[in-house]
Amino acid sequence: MPRYQSLRGTRDILPGEVEAWQRVERAAREVATLYGFREIRTPILEATDLFVRSVGASTDIVRKEMFTFQQSDDSMTLRPEGTAPTVRAFVQAGLERTPGSDRLFYIGPMFRYERPQKGRQRQFHQLGVEVLGSDDPLVDAETIEMLLAYLERLGVTGTRLLINSVGDAECRPLYRELLSIFLEPRLERLCEDCRRRSSENPMRVLDCKNESCRVALEGAPTILDSLCAGCREHFASVRAALDAYGIPHAVDPRLVRGLDYYVRTAFELVSDGLGAQNSLMGGGRYDGLVRELGGRDIPGFGWALGLERLILLLPDGPAAGPRLDVLVAPLHAGARIPAALAARALRRGGAKALLEGGERGLTAHLRRADRLGAAHVLILGEEETSSGLYTLRDMRSGEQRKVPAGNLAALAGEIQGATQENG
Ligand code: HAM
């Protein structure tokens, strides 16, 4: 085994795999653009306090999953998620005043110190979208519809949409109180984490996967019964819009999400194809977050999807690598420079050309072209370099023809077209 290995919970994305990544990223950019979203790229490193303030001091992410380190007096954290950095950048750059900057998307690595397993890593990647400045329930539904349009474009099926309303500052305190009262006589039956959660933020207990906690919660009051009129109406409008779009969804009153900034709509897309880590995507509304991070009091809504998990669900296996149009094969030492110039001319004309080194025999070159899946081989032997007429071999038919050295850029267009048609 080589001495240096990638760290536990991190992975290399190798050629052969990277093509699937490129495909999902390309589709994400296309769909996001159709819906009026613009890309934002924020630093991977942020002030620790940004996440403490937004994600919440009592959440699992902040309590035990952040990669945090100290440099002189600064505490820095590798971003565990993308919403807080996006909102920070939005406020910092005054994007509220820049028309067309209220719908943002990002693609990039996030870091959480979790126990690695299928679909769960310490460095993972998210595609995230954020809409800033609107509390219209139609925004919630439209942004969810966009997510489904994206999955449809990729051919991903078999996901289920779970949705809930987690209330707001008006109605949530009362619900917490009711839940605390319910939990009080059942504390003994809760896991250690949940006993702590029940005093810090009892709604977190609803999220626990532990069987004894789930049983203890049977008959617990649900947030939906405690919603204030504004939240109830908002939730009903989101659901009505989803219905109008024809988007099936199930209400899950225990869905609370693991981050503190949510109000009103909270939702997840789950898939049985993912195993224990069945959440493909999570999101919701975060109306107080912009103000919390120093901006004006404007609402927000968004979601983020785990790209590793998405790739597990892609219908067709690994995508093929790009096809090689032509392998340029010098047969003797004096052909090396002409071969290099030929490869340059072909590439300038748009053909994917690979320049072979060495002075192998023709048979060895052809064998290699076969292995690489090259559509053509450009042969430069003694006769070719002295006449300036190179031999082009079509690897599929075996036919050969002469092509003038000065005409390679034009030939590139022809070769490339043929490869695309055939490939
Ligand atoms: P989240 O639910 O913490 O939400 O993460 C969103 C998605 O990221 C998950 O559904 C999952 O697919 C993926 N994910 C999370 N942790 C891991 C991991 N350790 N390994 C692999 N994939 C993982 C957020 O991050 C919010 N910022 C979403 C949001 C955006 N809310 C509003 N706007």
Side-chain angles (χ1 to χ4, degrees), residues 81 83 112 114 119 121 126 130 257 261-262 279-280 302 306:
E81 60 103 51
T83 306
R112 295 183 194 176
E114 295 192 84
Q121 293 180 198
Q126 282 186 346
E130 313 292 352
R257 315 260 311 116
Y261 46 63
Y262 292 112
S279 160
L280 172 62

Side-chain angles (χ1 to χ4, degrees), residues 61-330:
I61 294 179
V62 170
R63 284 189 63 254
K64 44 188 185 190
E65 294 171 4
M66 297 207 301
F67 285 88
T68 294
F69 52 96
Q70 198 82 19
Q71 198 72 271
S72 49
D73 286 340
D74 299 325
S75 177
M76 292 170 269
T77 291
L78 295 178
R79 62 182 185 192
E81 60 103 51
T83 306
T86 301
V87 170
R88 184 217 24 86
F90 180 85
V91 172
Q92 183 178 335
L95 291 186
E96 202 190 335
R97 294 184 300 275
T98 312
S101 299
D102 54 344
R103 293 179 158 222
L104 301 166
F105 77 95
Y106 48 87
I107 299 174
M110 308 289 159
F111 303 83
R112 295 183 194 176
Y113 193 79
E114 295 192 84
R115 198 167 46 77
Q117 62 182 86
K118 182 184 166 196
R120 188 163 74 189
Q121 293 180 198
R122 291 180 174 168
Q123 175 174 341
F124 60 99
H125 298 77
Q126 282 186 346
L127 157 66
V129 308
E130 313 292 352
V131 183
L132 292 147
S134 172
D135 61 3
D136 187 341
L138 198 51
V139 162
D140 305 29
E142 188 197 15
T143 314
I144 293 174
E145 191 276 325
M146 162 179 162
L147 164 73
L148 299 177
Y150 172 58
L151 296 180
E152 193 178 311
R153 184 178 281 229
L154 292 172
V156 171
T157 53
T159 57
R160 278 178 296 126
L161 177 63
L162 306 177
I163 188 163
N164 191 21
S165 173
V166 292
D168 65 4
E170 190 184 330
C171 52
R172 198 153 46 192
L174 174 70
Y175 175 64
R176 277 197 191 165
E177 193 61 37
L178 288 175
L179 191 59
S180 281
I181 295 169
F182 175 85
L183 290 174
E184 186 64 38
R186 295 169 173 82
L187 287 180
E188 309 275 82
R189 292 156 61 191
L190 300 181
C191 70
E192 204 183 308
D193 271 345
C194 281
R195 259 175 263 154
R196 179 184 48 77
R197 288 176 185 137
S198 64
S199 57
E200 283 175 356
N201 181 357
M203 283 173 73
R204 282 269 110 72
V205 178
L206 297 173
D207 208 19
C208 186
K209 304 280 180 284
N210 199 307
E211 189 52 29
S212 63
C213 296
R214 300 200 74 82
V215 173
L217 277 168
E218 270 165 30
T222 89
I223 177 84
L224 295 176
D225 292 330
S226 293
L227 293 182
C228 58
C231 287
R232 204 173 318 125
E233 198 181 308
H234 193 274
F235 191 45
S237 302
V238 173
R239 295 198 58 203
L242 289 175
D243 285 338
Y245 275 123
I247 297 174
H249 56 278
V251 174
D252 178 356
R254 285 196 183 178
L255 181 84
V256 287
R257 315 260 311 116
L259 305 97
D260 273 356
Y261 46 63
Y262 292 112
V263 294
R264 296 191 162 172
T265 315
F267 66 106
E268 280 185 17
L269 205 64
V270 297
S271 165
D272 296 334
L274 288 173
Q277 299 304 313
N278 72 348
S279 160
L280 172 62
M281 182 273 350
R285 184 158 278 290
Y286 48 86
D287 292 349
L289 185 60
V290 180
R291 188 193 48 204
E292 184 69 28
L293 296 183
R296 275 206 319 127
D297 189 9
I298 61 168
F301 179 87
W303 50 255
L305 169 149
L307 289 179
E308 279 78 5
R309 296 184 189 178
L310 174 66
I311 283 169
L312 287 173
L313 296 178
L314 288 182
D316 25 302
R323 175 113 182 247
L324 183 62
D325 293 316
V326 51
L327 184 103
V328 182

